[in-house]
Amino acid sequence: MNAMVLGGGLNIFLDPVFMFGFGMGVEGAAIATVISQTISSIWLLLYYIRGKGAVRFRSKTLKPDMKIIKEIGAIGTGSFVMECANSVMMIFVYNALATYGGDVAIAVFGVVMKINSIIFMTLLGMAFGLQPIVGFNYGAKKYERITEAVKLSLTATTVTGLLGLVSIYFLKEQLLGLFSTDPEYMELGKNAIVIMLLGTPLIGMNVITSTLYQALGKAKPAFLLSISRQLLFLIPAVVLLPRLYQLNGVWAAFPVSDFMAFMLSGFLLFRGYRILKESKYSSKKGAGSETADKISPI
């Protein structure tokens, strides 16, 4: 966290210095970002080299292990594809907006996505906090703690999504007004922001379940959940719904995909709980057999 605060704070400080103080404009902002990220990376490297962290660098452990590399690649594929899926999704959305709405609709979409990112990044932060807890307790075979952590995370993300939706609903004019006061933009934006963000309370289920399977090392369901919202459900909805409801169909594609991803995530989360129960049973059975082996010779 200190590294993030250091990098972010330094970037905020250096941006105006390079952009306005040195008169470098956008180029200055880029240089400020590179400098802040470099210093943050050096700070983290020194932290681990000095042995302050739980992970310590040793020459014998830095040798490539193909088994570990494959596991990392398999688990990380979902996140990689999700980032790529975002670009692919944007192509379909912008084409639909250009066809059914025009330039103003495209501008509104960009603004709504920026506002939505505040809530989504908060949910993602909660999921990132859950991941090491699940991984550690799964390795320690403390499956009840995993269940408790997942339930708490689901409650927190759902409540956060709901509060975010309510806040945006009542403050939509003020939020949209930060970017423009054009009457056509405001009218279109007030309708779009309400429709697009209706599924916000449901997103937590998808994010948490995907993180759970990543932490458990289950690459296939984690991959499926990562691509579900943007590739499996959103793109078909963006293609089909505007043919029925015009521009409102584009906006409605987002809560529809959120709901479908919510249903899929709920199904896979139930399966995840079954995996944990089976693991817990196997662990107790194994412990019982070991105890019996120790007692039997006496």
Side-chain angles (χ1 to χ4, degrees), residues 16-243:
V17 173
F18 280 90
M19 290 175 67
F20 306 113
F22 297 149
M24 300 179 69
V26 177
E27 182 181 354
I31 293 173
T33 301
V34 172
I35 291 173
S36 61
Q37 288 181 348
T38 302
I39 293 175
S40 179
S41 299
I42 293 172
W43 189 91
L44 279 173
L45 184 62
L46 291 174
Y47 178 83
Y48 285 109
I49 289 176
R50 291 172 181 172
K52 293 182 178 180
V55 177
R56 297 185 180 182
F57 292 111
R58 296 186 179 89
S59 58
K60 62 180 181 180
T61 59
L62 295 177
K63 296 178 182 178
D65 187 328
M66 287 307 299
K67 182 181 179 181
I68 296 176
I69 292 173
K70 287 180 180 178
E71 289 179 0
I72 293 172
I75 295 172
T77 299
S79 298
F80 170 75
V81 172
M82 185 170 65
E83 294 298 325
C84 296
N86 185 59
S87 299
V88 175
M89 177 269 293
M90 287 295 184
I91 294 173
F92 283 89
V93 173
Y94 279 124
N95 282 333
L97 290 172
T99 302
Y100 297 99
D103 294 340
V104 178
I106 293 174
V108 167
F109 172 74
V111 170
V112 174
M113 290 300 290
K114 285 181 175 63
I115 295 172
N116 180 54
S117 67
I118 299 172
I119 303 173
F120 183 75
M121 290 302 175
T122 304
L123 302 181
L124 207 59
M126 293 179 183
F128 287 159
L130 172 68
Q131 192 166 13
I133 296 173
V134 172
F136 175 82
N137 285 287
Y138 187 66
K141 297 182 180 180
K142 297 179 180 180
Y143 306 115
E144 291 181 357
R145 288 188 178 182
I146 298 176
T147 304
E148 291 175 6
V150 170
K151 288 180 179 179
L152 180 61
S153 299
L154 283 173
T155 302
T157 52
T158 302
V159 171
T160 301
L162 184 60
L163 290 175
L165 175 62
V166 173
S167 300
I168 288 173
Y169 178 80
F170 287 107
L171 298 173
K172 55 181 178 291
E173 291 188 23
Q174 290 83 349
L175 292 171
L176 291 169
L178 294 174
F179 298 88
S180 176
T181 55
D182 179 74
E184 185 180 358
Y185 155 83
M186 291 295 293
E187 188 65 29
L188 196 61
K190 286 188 288 185
N191 182 52
I193 197 170
V194 172
I195 297 175
M196 283 182 65
L197 303 187
L198 277 176
T200 304
L202 307 179
I203 296 176
M205 174 72 80
N206 180 255
V207 175
I208 294 300
T209 307
S210 177
T211 301
L212 171 65
Y213 275 105
Q214 285 183 1
L216 295 177
K218 309 295 182 182
K220 290 182 179 179
F223 173 77
L224 177 62
L225 289 166
S226 296
I227 66 172
S228 62
R229 285 182 62 235
Q230 296 180 328
L231 278 183
L232 293 183
F233 301 129
L234 182 57
I235 291 177
V238 167
V239 172
L240 296 174
L241 291 180
R243 298 181 181 181

